Amino acid sequence: MDNEIYSHERRHSHKVPVLGVEIAPFRIPFHRRLETFAILQWTLTFLIGGFGLTFFSLYLLFTSYYWVSFLAYTWIIIDRWTPSQGGRRFSWSRRWKIWEHMRNFFPVELHKTADLDPNQNYIIAFHPHGILAVGAFIHFGTEATGFSKLFPGIKPSLLILRGWFFFPFLRDYVMIAGLCDSSKNSVDYLLSKNGVGNAACLVIGGARETLDMEPGKHRVLLNRRKGFIKKAMEHGASLVPVYSFGESDIYDSTCNVPGSKMRKLQEFLMKFTGFSLPIFHGRGIFNYTMGIIPYRRRINTVVGKPIPVVKNPNPTRTEVEDVHTIYVDALKALFDEHKTKYGISEDISLEII
């Protein structure tokens, strides 16, 4: 599998080693430069965009442009409910050319196994999170992989941490792609007050899952994640399992053993900020050895068959457990059915933690 993971990176480049660092060649096709720029802007947005723009806005308060920050924070207060009430999407922004370049960097592909009825609502459950949740964003936050063509009449809304919508400027940038906050109120709105044909797209493992992630391992945080099951039952929304093969391989990361000092620090910071701090590295802009840009490794995302859920406004814990078991079995079956197509050995199983 390792040879397959690295084959795409090597195919179009001639690496030049300098002191152990593999330097990218100066002359490469222009489209690859565009692809690198596209993934760089998303990487910076995801990793430092929120805090970077917050610090920048605070700096502006001490300049003659203080009014820009004042307006930005006033807008956050006025517009505070929009992220939990369907957001503010613009179809044209989901079709920007930059998203196609970002798709082609890896590349990323979306595979359909069954139709989704546009007269119903859905919770699309995405696994695994990966470092950047690249697959989730490209598929559900853009039209780069043709979601609307594969599933006509379905409007996907990728749900992310509510904290993103307190960052000035950035909140509106992600909202135009159709992103909403992942609160209970937001899910309730999408599944009950926004008509039919809605898909609330959740990355189930969330930030916590990244702490257990390792390249080549297929491990998802799911045993205690049952809130999405309860919401599906309350609204009678079908559950759609999604597995993204290769999502965990685009970075080299370290899984710190639970109980270790580093793991305790990571969990402490995540508890108070909502953001995890996994230890990882990828490649750089001009080298293939070290940096924050992910490696060019193919991602294949498979959308499974919808699991019908009977509406139950007040499900008991046992009833939620029963549906959760059905969902876990369906996710495992999806993984087992498609794993060999994407370079995973037949004897490898999906690990549920």
Side-chain angles (χ1 to χ4, degrees):
M1 180 180 176
D2 289 341
N3 289 335
E4 182 172 328
I5 288 176
Y6 288 97
S7 62
H8 185 77
E9 178 78 20
R10 290 173 174 168
R11 187 157 44 242
H12 302 290
S13 61
H14 300 284
K15 301 176 182 180
V16 180
V18 177
L19 299 177
V21 177
E22 294 179 304
I23 305 300
F26 179 75
R27 299 181 66 179
I28 62 173
F30 183 64
H31 72 87
R32 287 171 63 83
R33 296 292 189 196
L34 293 176
E35 292 161 10
T36 301
F37 170 77
I39 191 60
L40 175 63
Q41 69 84 27
W42 174 248
T43 302
L44 293 176
T45 298
F46 190 95
L47 296 178
I48 63 174
F51 293 107
L53 286 171
T54 298
F55 292 139
F56 177 67
S57 66
L58 294 176
Y59 164 75
L60 288 181
L61 289 174
F62 300 94
T63 71
S64 59
Y65 296 99
Y66 66 90
W67 55 272
V68 174
S69 294
F70 177 79
L71 290 176
Y73 285 105
T74 300
W75 176 243
I76 291 176
I77 296 172
I78 294 173
D79 196 51
R80 63 188 180 279
W81 302 118
T82 300
S84 60
Q85 294 180 349
R88 186 185 299 106
R89 74 170 59 218
F90 291 97
S91 296
W92 60 273
S93 69
R94 293 169 57 87
R95 292 180 169 82
W96 285 346
K97 195 69 176 180
I98 193 172
W99 307 134
E100 294 180 16
H101 291 308
M102 182 174 165
R103 173 201 65 198
N104 294 337
F105 177 87
F106 297 95
V108 184
E109 295 183 47
L110 184 65
H111 305 277
K112 168 184 173 180
T113 62
D115 292 329
L116 298 182
D117 184 353
N119 295 311
Q120 298 182 21
N121 287 327
Y122 301 88
I123 289 182
I124 293 180
F126 183 93
H127 310 269
H129 183 285
I131 296 295
L132 299 180
V134 166
F137 177 73
I138 291 179
H139 299 316
F140 311 132
T142 82
E143 287 295 331
T145 54
F147 183 92
S148 294
K149 292 181 180 179
L150 289 173
F151 304 102
I154 303 298
K155 183 171 69 175
S157 297
L158 180 60
L159 308 187
I160 61 176
L161 287 173
R162 182 164 178 75
W164 277 71
F165 300 99
F166 291 104
F167 293 133
F169 314 114
L170 181 65
R171 66 187 303 277
D172 297 288
Y173 178 59
V174 299
M175 260 201 289
I176 62 174
L179 276 61
C180 302
D181 83 51
S182 57
S183 65
K184 294 179 180 180
N185 290 338
S186 181
V187 177
D188 288 336
Y189 182 90
L190 291 171
L191 299 181
S192 65
K193 299 178 181 179
N194 203 36
V196 294
N198 298 291
C201 307
L202 288 162
V203 184
I204 303 302
R208 174 66 176 75
E209 188 178 73
T210 64
L211 301 183
D212 294 298
M213 191 186 71
E214 294 179 79
K217 300 291 184 181
H218 303 279
R219 182 183 296 141
V220 299
L221 184 63
L222 185 55
N223 280 333
R224 295 186 179 181
R225 298 296 169 109
K226 298 170 185 175
F228 74 105
I229 300 290
K230 185 177 181 181
K231 283 300 174 186
M233 297 177 71
E234 289 175 354
H235 297 284
S238 296
L239 289 162
V240 182
V242 175
Y243 194 85
S244 194
F245 294 91
E247 190 78 38
S248 298
D249 296 320
I250 62 174
Y251 281 104
D252 290 331
S253 59
T254 300
C255 175
N256 292 301
V257 179
S260 65
K261 291 182 179 180
M262 180 56 69
R263 183 58 170 266
K264 288 180 179 178
L265 175 61
Q266 290 173 318
E267 292 176 343
F268 173 81
L269 293 173
M270 186 174 65
K271 180 179 179 180
F272 287 96
T273 67
F275 299 93
S276 65
L277 293 174
I279 299 175
F280 68 93
H281 75 83
R283 49 162 288 184
I285 300 175
F286 302 110
N287 78 83
Y288 298 122
T289 304
M290 184 67 67
I292 63 170
I293 297 177
Y295 296 113
R296 287 180 181 265
R297 297 173 181 172
R298 188 177 294 274
I299 297 174
N300 286 284
T301 305
V302 183
V303 181
K305 299 177 182 178
I307 304 168
V309 177
V310 177
K311 187 173 183 178
N312 182 351
N314 297 292
T316 64
R317 179 177 296 182
T318 300
E319 291 170 333
V320 171
E321 290 281 358
D322 290 342
V323 176
H324 184 267
T325 299
I326 293 172
Y327 176 81
V328 171
D329 290 342
L331 180 63
K332 288 181 176 179
L334 179 69
F335 178 85
D336 289 337
E337 181 181 353
H338 297 276
K339 61 186 178 183
T340 56
K341 298 176 187 177
Y342 306 117
I344 300 172
S345 175
E346 183 66 42
D347 61 347
I348 299 297
S349 298
L350 182 62
E351 183 182 352
I352 308 294
I353 59 175

